[in-house]
Every structure is written in C-alpha cells, then in structure tokens.
C-alpha cells in the first residue's frame, strides 16, 4: 500500500507539472477584427506572428486563423488604422476565438509641393530635361553579392571597404546583438503571406517589428550596408528585408575570415 501511495502521488505531480508547462506544439487560434468605432468587420488586416514569422489575413467578415504558441506576439496592421500587438495567452488558446478592435488613425493631409522641370510636353525633349541618377555596385571576391555605393565618386569603393571591415562599425554592434531576429529572415522567406505583405508596404513598420528595432534605425543600417539614398527611399519593405538579409550573410562571411 505504501508503494502504491508513492506511485499515485508521483503520477499526480507529473500530470500537474505537464499542465503548468506551456505546450511547445503549435496550436491554431482565430478571431474577428473589427473597427472599434463603427463595429464593422475589417477585411485585409495583416496578422503576423513575429516569433514564428508566419502570417495571415482577415477575410470579408474580419475572420482570421493563425498557428501560435503561448507567449507568441501577433502584430495586426492595415492602412489607415493604428497597428496593434497582442501576446497569445493560455485563455486565448483555450477559448480558440477572440475579438480584436483596431482604431482609425487621425491623418492630417499636408501640402505637397512638386518641383517643376520646365517640361515642354514633347517626350523627346522632356526625357533629356528630367535628371537621372546612376547607382554603382561593387563586388568583393568571396562574397555572393555586391555593395551599392550610390552615385559614382572616387572614394565610393573606399567607403564600402571601410564600412564592412571596421570592427567598431554600427553593423558589428547591430548584427552581433540581433542574431536571433536576423535568423528569422530565412523563415520569413518560407511564408508567402508575409512576403506578399512586405512587397506591398513601404512604411518600414513591419520590418522594424520583425527585427526588434525602431524604424529610425533602418536607414542607418542600410547606409552602413552601402545602399544608396535612392534605393532606401524607393524600395519596398521586402526589398529592404532582403537587402539586410544579404548584408547579414556577408557580415558572417567576413567575421569567419
């Protein structure tokens, strides 16, 4: 009887411990996204699990489903509304469905000034009046990609080498401290929903969320990776993420050498 009591107590302890330990098996949660002012469903809301770099979109009823684990963070974004981040709880996983409300942004329209080029209306003439820029890229032996150095200048290539070989450079600190987030870039490329979202966005918000940095840091990182102002200003978020990913891979090659 004594041995049976010990076995029974051990069994109960094991069951209790298993219940208290968060499951590592991905589970699917769902929800309805609505406008918190009109209470109408919001379709086309982008939902990204920033821990697993997986994405989903809400349908015409505002409904979405996504795979999660406890303590994962979901990022909700759509044009014209304030973005929202929500942590997945045991209650949500247990109940499966929840309701999420997004708040509209108050956007003040600013005056846009268009600089004149004194165009004549004749294509052959106007094509010569509009200024064009040429950006140059340099390749380095042993690296798979080149470096963009903006418009041509005599010391452009020197800046490229100085930036990537300087151990005190910002990239050294950034890549050294954000290795875990940067490894997510490979996972990101496996999810079409995330890639399609980034391909259509230019605000750098999702990039910043996935990398765990502020939006203000992104232009500086791109400059350190020797991308021109023209590329930084015109590239979509997917191109920015691919550029940072390529720069990170080159950083690892140089670090090994």
């Amino acid at each position: 009887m004594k041995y049976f009591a010990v076995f029974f107590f051990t069994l109960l302890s094991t069951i209790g411990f298993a219940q208290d330990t968060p499951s590592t098996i991905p589970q699917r949660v769902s929800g309805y996204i609505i406008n918190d002012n009109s209470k109408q469903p919001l379709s086309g809301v982008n939902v990204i699990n920033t821990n697993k770099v997986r994405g989903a979109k809400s349908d015409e009823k505002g409904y979405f489903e996504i795979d999660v684990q406890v303590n994962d963070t979901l990022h909700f974004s759509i044009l014209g509304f304030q973005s929202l981040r929500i942590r997945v709880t045991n209650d949500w996983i247990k109940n499966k469905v929840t309701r999420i409300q997004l708040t509209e942004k108050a956007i003040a329209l600013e005056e846009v000034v268009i600089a004149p080029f004194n165009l004549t209306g004749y294509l052959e003439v106007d094509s010569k009046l509009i200024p064009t820029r040429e950006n140059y890229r340099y390749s380095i032996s042993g690296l798979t990609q080149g470096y963009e150095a903006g418009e041509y200048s005599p010391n452009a290539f020197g800046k490229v080498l100085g930036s990537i070989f300087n151990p005190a450079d910002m990239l050294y600190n950034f890549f050294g401290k954000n290795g875990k987030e940067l490894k997510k870039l490979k996972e990101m490329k496996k999810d079409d929903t995330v890639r399609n979202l980034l391909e259509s966005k230019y605000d750098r918000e999702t990039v910043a969320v996935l990398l765990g940095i502020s939006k203000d840091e992104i232009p500086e990182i791109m400059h350190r990776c020797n991308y021109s102002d023209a590329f930084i200003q015109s590239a979509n978020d997917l191109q920015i993420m691919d550029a940072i990913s390529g720069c990170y891979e080159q950083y690892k090659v140089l670090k090994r050498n």
Side-chain angles (χ1 to χ4, degrees):
M1 178 63 72
K2 181 174 68 173
Y3 294 106
F4 177 77
V6 171
F7 171 76
F8 185 70
F9 177 77
T10 303
L11 179 63
L12 287 178
S13 300
T14 303
I15 295 174
F17 178 77
Q19 290 177 341
D20 292 337
T21 303
S23 173
T24 57
I25 301 174
Q27 302 186 59
R28 178 154 289 229
V29 296
S30 59
Y32 290 90
I33 307 172
I34 64 172
N35 182 327
D36 77 338
N37 182 36
S38 66
K39 306 306 178 186
Q40 295 298 310
L42 290 174
S43 63
V45 177
N46 299 293
V47 185
I48 294 182
N49 184 332
T50 61
N51 297 80
K52 305 296 184 297
V53 198
R54 293 291 184 269
K57 269 194 175 185
S58 61
D59 62 17
E60 64 278 359
K61 296 180 180 179
Y63 181 78
F64 72 93
E65 292 182 349
I66 193 168
D67 291 334
V68 299
Q69 290 178 234
V70 175
N71 293 326
D72 281 354
T73 298
L74 301 185
H75 183 260
F76 299 82
S77 65
I78 188 174
L79 187 65
F81 287 79
Q82 296 179 12
S83 298
L84 183 66
R85 273 186 270 184
I86 298 178
R87 180 155 295 188
V88 177
T89 63
N90 279 310
D91 289 343
W92 189 357
I93 291 179
K94 181 179 179 181
N95 297 326
K96 298 297 183 183
V97 181
T98 191
R99 189 173 72 162
I100 295 162
Q101 302 182 77
L102 296 184
T103 305
E104 290 185 74
K105 288 181 179 178
I107 303 175
L109 298 179
E110 299 179 357
E111 182 181 2
V112 178
V113 178
I114 302 176
F117 287 116
N118 297 320
L119 302 181
T120 65
Y122 294 96
L123 182 60
E124 292 184 0
V125 177
D126 292 343
S127 63
K128 298 177 181 179
L129 294 175
I130 299 176
T132 59
R133 294 181 178 179
E134 293 184 355
N135 296 323
Y136 290 80
R137 293 185 65 84
Y138 299 89
S139 61
I140 299 175
S141 179
L143 300 182
T144 57
Q145 297 180 353
Y147 280 83
E148 183 172 342
E151 295 185 20
Y152 178 78
S153 63
N155 61 345
F157 187 66
K159 290 181 179 179
V160 172
L161 292 177
S163 178
I164 61 176
F165 283 106
N166 181 5
D169 189 84
M170 177 192 177
L171 289 184
Y172 181 85
N173 296 322
F174 171 70
F175 288 149
K177 294 178 181 178
N178 296 273
K180 183 178 180 181
E181 284 75 15
L182 288 158
K183 289 178 182 177
K184 293 180 183 177
L185 299 181
K186 292 183 178 179
E187 294 299 317
M188 176 205 72
K189 296 178 180 180
K190 300 176 183 178
D191 193 287
D192 290 338
T193 303
V194 177
R195 290 186 63 85
N196 292 338
L197 164 63
L198 293 174
E199 194 171 18
S200 64
K201 296 190 71 174
Y202 293 81
D203 60 9
R204 313 304 187 229
E205 178 185 335
T206 307
V207 175
V209 169
L210 291 175
L211 293 179
I213 58 178
S214 70
K215 291 197 290 186
D216 295 336
E217 291 178 89
I218 294 174
E220 178 64 17
I221 293 169
M222 296 303 297
H223 279 131
R224 298 290 182 169
C225 289
N226 289 287
Y227 280 88
S228 65
D229 287 331
F231 176 83
I232 297 170
Q233 294 169 9
S234 63
N236 61 41
D237 285 359
L238 179 59
Q239 291 171 321
I240 293 293
M241 285 288 274
D242 283 341
I244 294 176
S245 177
C247 191
Y248 177 55
E249 294 302 321
Q250 293 168 358
Y251 161 81
K252 291 194 297 184
V253 171
L254 294 173
K255 186 178 179 182
R256 286 197 297 267
N257 295 335

